[in-house]
Amino acid sequence: MTRISCLPVLFPSGVSEPVDYFRHLFHREIMEEVVRQTNLYALQRDVTRPLNVTVAEMEQFIGVCFHMSIHVLPKTRLYWNPQTRVEMVASTMSLNRWENIKRHLHFADNNNQVPGGDKLFKVRPLLNFLNDSYRSIPMDEMLCVDEQMVPFKGKSQLKQYIPMKPKRWGYKINMALCTTLMCTQGPFNPVMDSLTLLFFDNWFCSVDLQILLEKEKIHSVGTVRQGRLAGCTFMDDRAMKAKGRGTHEEKMTTHNGVNLWAVKWFDNRPVTLLSTFVAANPTTQVLRWDKKKKEVVRVSRPNVVAVYNKSMGGVDLLDSLIALYRTKIRSKKWYHRIVFHMLDMTLVEAWLLHRRDCQSQMPEIAHLPLLDFKIQVASCLCMENKVSNKRKGRPSQAVVVGKNKRGPQSFVPPDPVRRDRTDHWPLHASEKGRCKMPGCKGIVRSKCSKCAVFLCFTQEMTE
């Protein structure tokens, strides 16, 4: 039987498909290792009930998880419930199979675990693979280091409480990010190799650290706690507030052959910064809203503050991107929360790589938003090169009563799914539809069994 050819490529040359960016970071070697450890764990639990999951099924499992982060329901079983069914989830994999894979999802051999050893043993192989993938991204000269919270309120020795974070309970990760939000070093490994500028907050900043970095030819800037500046006294907070916003004071010293500049600046509240390469001058003017005058006023800002604000905050922005469509799948296993967070972060990093390539190839209006990017990746993982999972038995004989109304435009799968040459067969539909081939206005009954779109079944179309 002749297969139906699907739509042409829509992306310009030089920009890959969204799913290719995700697979570049979460590559096949990682997927094969996850499949191997998952099948091994299923045999360790019950040798008579092997799981026999494949790489294709594991991709479908991840694709379903991504769809669940977009179509958020309070319970996972609702995605298969007839009243709240989500077609892209329910038609990809059965509920029992998805729950079985989730139950046995594993990343390390339990026989190799040492009592009292690595607390992240369960996910260490996955983190190592992802660290290597993130290192393949070219690193900028400016790098910011900050903490990231993985929200979690279950029982775990690794769970921490940080009251100043938006998500106070969870796992804390030390992140190293470029100013373009590219995770160059990956989570749980904030060691830097070759860079020239480093930015961090008062959790890390100290005089000894900045001296050590400067001797390694790494300039640094960071907010610092007053107690870590021994022998350095600044103007009192009340005195600075009385002088008004924009007041600053600078101290400079040389310690172990390294020049250090400490600057205290009062904006809405006082802040102290420590630097080894930039000082307070030259100052610039910034706009601020004055509550008393009820107007916008100009406030003097030291140069060190401008440099710090320009390059710091990447981890917080990455957190906000992950939180937009976070995978919220409940599990009894504590490490599943880390795994789903890593998947979400890898997809956001893939979107950033895709957007970077699009900036030189496409107009800004044609760039894919994060939501559309995640939908395309999830659809490709669920459908590309996969055989349809059709249920056995007689089809439903439900009868629709009433006048037929024009519904929404039919879903067109992404280009990798349309051109994967797997399971695209012509079907004779009971209803008619317009051909989806660009430029064709034919009304036909032939339909693709996988893409579920109407296409003309002619000699020109099938060649």
Side-chain angles (χ1 to χ4, degrees):
M1 185 179 293
T2 308
R3 299 183 184 225
I4 299 178
S5 62
C6 294
L7 302 184
V9 180
L10 300 178
F11 286 91
S13 59
V15 180
S16 301
E17 297 291 341
V19 70
D20 294 333
Y21 290 93
F22 178 78
R23 284 174 174 159
H24 173 74
L25 296 177
F26 204 91
H27 49 79
R28 187 174 181 85
E29 185 179 356
I30 302 178
M31 201 73 70
E32 290 176 349
E33 180 64 18
V34 174
V35 168
R36 189 176 71 85
Q37 294 296 337
T38 300
N39 288 328
L40 177 62
Y41 178 65
L43 291 175
Q44 290 174 346
R45 292 191 62 183
D46 191 348
V47 71
T48 63
R49 308 178 91 180
L51 186 63
N52 295 331
V53 65
T54 62
V55 173
E57 278 189 308
M58 189 58 67
E59 284 193 342
Q60 288 179 325
F61 174 83
I62 296 175
V64 167
C65 293
F66 285 160
H67 277 300
M68 289 180 175
S69 68
I70 299 168
H71 309 277
V72 181
L73 294 177
K75 295 182 180 179
T76 55
R77 293 194 175 189
L78 294 177
Y79 293 94
W80 285 267
N81 191 298
Q83 296 179 342
T84 56
R85 177 185 175 93
V86 177
E87 187 62 29
M88 283 299 298
V89 172
S91 61
T92 299
M93 184 178 294
S94 66
L95 171 61
N96 291 338
R97 184 61 175 173
W98 186 86
E99 288 186 339
N100 206 14
I101 295 176
K102 172 175 169 281
R103 187 180 304 113
H104 296 94
L105 188 63
H106 225 66
F107 306 92
D109 187 357
N110 289 338
N111 295 328
N112 299 329
Q113 187 172 10
V114 178
D118 186 6
K119 293 183 179 181
L120 290 171
F121 171 81
K122 295 285 188 179
V123 291
R124 180 61 66 187
L126 177 64
L127 300 179
N128 291 337
F129 274 121
L130 291 178
N131 275 329
D132 294 337
S133 295
Y134 295 144
R135 288 193 182 98
S136 66
I137 303 174
M139 184 172 60
D140 295 341
E141 65 173 0
M142 293 184 290
L143 204 67
C144 65
V145 178
D146 204 350
E147 310 94 21
Q148 183 183 73
M149 291 295 292
V150 181
F152 182 73
K153 290 188 177 180
K155 294 182 180 179
S156 175
Q157 295 180 350
L158 299 176
K159 183 183 65 176
Q160 297 188 27
Y161 174 74
I162 303 181
M164 299 301 293
K165 290 292 184 179
K167 300 293 184 181
R168 296 186 290 270
W169 292 96
Y171 305 112
K172 188 181 75 172
I173 306 175
N174 293 327
M175 298 287 298
L177 290 178
C178 294
T179 54
T180 55
L181 303 188
M182 299 301 176
C183 186
T184 57
Q185 297 298 128
F188 300 101
N189 186 10
V191 181
M192 285 67 70
D193 296 326
S194 58
L195 65 150
T196 58
L197 299 175
L198 187 63
F199 301 86
F200 36 73
D201 60 8
N202 58 19
W203 179 269
F204 302 98
C205 188
S206 66
V207 174
D208 294 337
L209 175 61
Q210 292 209 353
I211 292 175
L212 179 63
L213 291 173
E214 188 66 25
K215 290 183 177 180
E216 297 293 332
K217 298 181 179 180
I218 300 175
H219 304 311
S220 57
V221 181
T223 56
V224 64
R225 300 174 183 177
Q226 188 71 34
R228 295 180 181 178
L229 300 177
C232 182
T233 58
F234 285 103
M235 188 185 308
D236 185 70
D237 293 349
R238 292 184 179 180
M240 295 191 78
K241 186 176 182 180
K243 286 189 174 184
R245 297 171 68 175
T247 304
H248 76 273
E249 185 179 2
E250 180 182 20
K251 298 291 180 69
M252 186 268 182
T253 186
T254 302
H255 188 69
N256 291 339
V258 176
N259 295 329
L260 294 168
W261 288 270
V263 179
K264 184 176 182 180
W265 179 54
F266 185 84
D267 188 14
N268 291 327
R269 56 180 62 88
V271 60
T272 305
L273 295 97
L274 184 66
S275 172
T276 58
F277 78 100
V278 62
N281 294 316
T283 61
T284 56
Q285 299 292 319
V286 293
L287 301 178
R288 294 290 188 270
W289 176 257
D290 193 310
K291 292 183 179 180
K292 294 182 178 179
K293 297 181 180 180
K294 294 185 178 180
E295 63 181 9
V296 177
V297 298
R298 292 185 177 273
V299 176
S300 177
R301 180 180 63 178
N303 188 33
V304 62
V305 179
V307 173
Y308 180 82
N309 289 342
K310 183 178 179 181
S311 302
M312 192 62 183
V315 176
D316 295 333
L317 182 55
L318 180 64
D319 283 345
S320 66
L321 293 174
I322 295 174
L324 290 175
Y325 313 105
R326 189 187 301 276
T327 303
K328 301 177 182 179
I329 299 176
R330 299 184 64 181
S331 175
K332 293 182 179 180
K333 295 181 172 61
W334 63 269
Y335 56 88
H336 278 183
R337 179 66 265 157
I338 297 178
V339 172
F340 293 135
H341 179 82
M342 292 298 108
L343 290 174
D344 291 336
M345 186 171 68
T346 303
L347 187 132
V348 171
E349 292 291 332
W351 174 69
L352 293 170
L353 288 172
H354 177 266
R355 191 179 64 168
R356 182 193 64 183
D357 292 347
C358 288
Q359 288 176 353
S360 59
Q361 300 286 337
M362 304 168 62
E364 186 175 357
I365 194 173
H367 294 182
L368 277 179
L370 177 58
L371 176 59
D372 296 342
F373 183 89
K374 191 165 190 177
I375 291 174
Q376 288 207 24
V377 172
S379 299
C380 289
L381 293 177
C382 290
M383 300 174 62
E384 186 183 359
N385 298 315
K386 313 296 192 308
V387 178
S388 300
N389 184 21
K390 297 180 180 179
R391 281 192 170 187
K392 297 181 180 180
R394 298 177 61 184
S396 174
Q397 300 295 329
V399 178
V400 179
V401 180
K403 183 179 179 180
N404 292 330
K405 296 183 180 180
R406 184 175 181 179
Q409 185 178 4
S410 59
F411 167 75
V412 179
D415 188 73
V417 176
R418 299 194 297 265
R419 292 185 172 273
D420 62 2
R421 297 179 177 272
T422 304
D423 206 37
H424 294 277
W425 302 104
L427 295 178
H428 183 77
S430 58
E431 70 279 4
K432 294 181 181 180
R434 187 179 296 278
C435 179
K436 292 298 181 180
M437 177 62 67
C440 181
K441 297 182 180 180
I443 304 298
V444 296
R445 290 184 182 271
S446 55
K447 197 174 186 180
C448 178
S449 62
K450 184 173 183 177
C451 299
V453 296
F454 290 96
L455 293 169
C456 292
F457 186 68
T458 62
Q459 185 175 359
E460 292 78 9
M461 300 289 291
T462 57
E463 288 180 352

